[in-house]
Amino acid sequence: MKFLIKLFLPMMATSLIAGTILAILGPLGTSRMPLSGRLIYWVGLCLAGGFGAGMVDLVAERLNRTLNFWLGVLSQSAGATLCVSAFIFLLYPPYNWQNVVMTILYVWMISIILCFVGALVHKRRAEAQIQERAGRPPLLDRLPPKLRHAEIYAISAEDHYVRVHSSAGDEMILMRLSDAVKEAAPLLGVQTHRSWWVAEKGIETVKKANGKIELVLKNGLTAPVSRSGRAQVSEAGWI
C-alpha cells in the first residue's frame, strides 16, 4: 500500500499540474474548447499517461525486476502510449487504420521524451541522495527527526550517556563517547578532553587565557581543552 501511494500520488499531482497548464495554454487547437472541456481533456491525458508509466513500475516491482535506464524509459513510454491512445480513441473514435497508427506514433514520440526527462530527473535525484548518505554521519540517524538534518558541533560525555550538540539543539543518547565519535565520521574533529569531542565546523572562536584554551562553539557553549587534548588541537591547526 505504501508503495502504491509513493508511486501514484506524485504521478497524480504532476499530472494535475501539467494538465492544468496545458488546459490554460490550449495547444493543438484545443484553445477553441471551453476551459472546462480543456481541463477534462488535458488532465485526463496526463493522468492516463502517468498511470500507464506507473503501471510499468508497479509490474516491475511485483516481479522484483530492476529496469535499467533505457529499458525503463522505453517500457514506461509504451505503457503511457497505450493508456493515452486509448483515452484519445475513447473521446475521438478513429475513422481508419492510418489514423490509429499515426496517433499511436505521435503519442509514443511525446511519451519517450517525457519519460526520458522524468527518468533523468529521478536518476539525478537518486545519485544526489546516495552522495548525501555517503557523507552523512551515522550518528545523526540516532537523533530525533528534528535534529537529523542539523550540523553536529560537539559531543560530550555524561555518565553512561553522550550529549550531541548541534545547530538545532542537543540530545542525549545512551552510548559511549568513543562509539559516538566513530559514528560522527566523516566529520573532521578532535577529542579535546576525555569527555568532549568537537567538530571543526562547530567552532566559532578559540579562547586563550591564563595558559588555558577553550573552544567556543557556534551555539555559544564552551568546550574544554585538556593538556593531552591541546596537542591534538594544535596538530589540527586550530591554535
Side-chain angles (χ1 to χ4, degrees):
M1 188 63 182
K2 289 183 179 179
F3 174 76
L4 291 176
I5 294 175
K6 183 180 179 180
L7 177 64
F8 287 106
L9 191 59
M11 177 273 294
M12 291 180 63
T14 303
S15 299
L16 286 172
I17 294 172
T20 302
I21 293 173
L22 289 170
I24 294 173
L25 296 176
L28 302 177
T30 57
S31 58
R32 295 188 295 269
M33 300 169 60
L35 180 59
S36 58
R38 296 202 303 269
L39 281 170
I40 294 173
Y41 180 76
W42 285 113
V43 171
L45 281 180
C46 291
L47 283 172
F51 179 79
M55 286 303 297
V56 171
D57 289 339
L58 180 61
V59 171
E61 173 72 15
R62 289 291 179 265
L63 296 177
N64 198 25
R65 295 287 300 275
T66 300
L67 303 178
N68 61 41
F69 183 83
W70 286 110
L71 182 58
V73 169
L74 291 175
S75 301
Q76 288 180 349
S77 65
T81 299
L82 289 175
C83 292
V84 171
S85 299
F87 184 84
I88 293 175
F89 295 149
L90 183 64
L91 293 177
Y92 305 103
Y95 48 84
N96 57 45
W97 68 269
Q98 292 175 325
N99 178 250
V100 173
V101 173
M102 292 304 297
T103 299
I104 291 176
L105 286 176
Y106 180 73
V107 172
W108 188 43
M109 286 189 293
I110 296 176
S111 297
I112 287 179
I113 295 173
L114 294 177
C115 290
F116 171 77
V117 173
L120 192 61
V121 170
H122 178 75
K123 182 181 178 181
R124 295 280 175 83
R125 188 178 300 166
E127 289 174 349
Q129 290 176 346
I130 291 173
Q131 291 178 355
E132 181 183 354
R133 285 196 294 268
R136 176 184 173 83
L139 184 63
L140 285 171
D141 294 326
R142 293 180 178 269
L143 301 176
K146 65 178 182 179
L147 302 182
R148 289 178 186 169
H149 297 285
E151 286 189 5
I152 296 176
Y153 289 162
I155 307 170
S156 60
E158 300 181 20
D159 294 328
H160 298 294
Y161 292 80
V162 295
R163 185 181 296 276
V164 180
H165 306 274
S166 77
S167 57
D170 61 84
E171 182 71 20
M172 292 189 70
I173 305 173
L174 180 60
M175 65 187 308
R176 296 182 302 178
L177 179 62
S178 58
D179 293 333
V181 170
K182 290 178 182 178
E183 293 196 13
L187 288 179
L188 297 177
V190 166
Q191 185 162 350
T192 63
H193 188 274
R194 63 185 179 84
S195 59
W196 275 83
W197 177 89
V198 178
E200 185 174 15
K201 290 185 176 180
I203 300 173
E204 181 68 31
T205 58
V206 178
K207 291 174 59 177
K208 298 179 181 178
N210 300 322
K212 293 184 179 180
I213 299 175
E214 293 181 333
L215 304 177
V216 180
L217 306 181
K218 291 180 179 179
N219 58 2
L221 291 178
T222 300
V225 178
S226 64
R227 290 184 179 179
S228 58
R230 180 168 184 155
Q232 297 187 56
V233 169
S234 177
E235 186 178 342
W238 296 358
I239 55 174

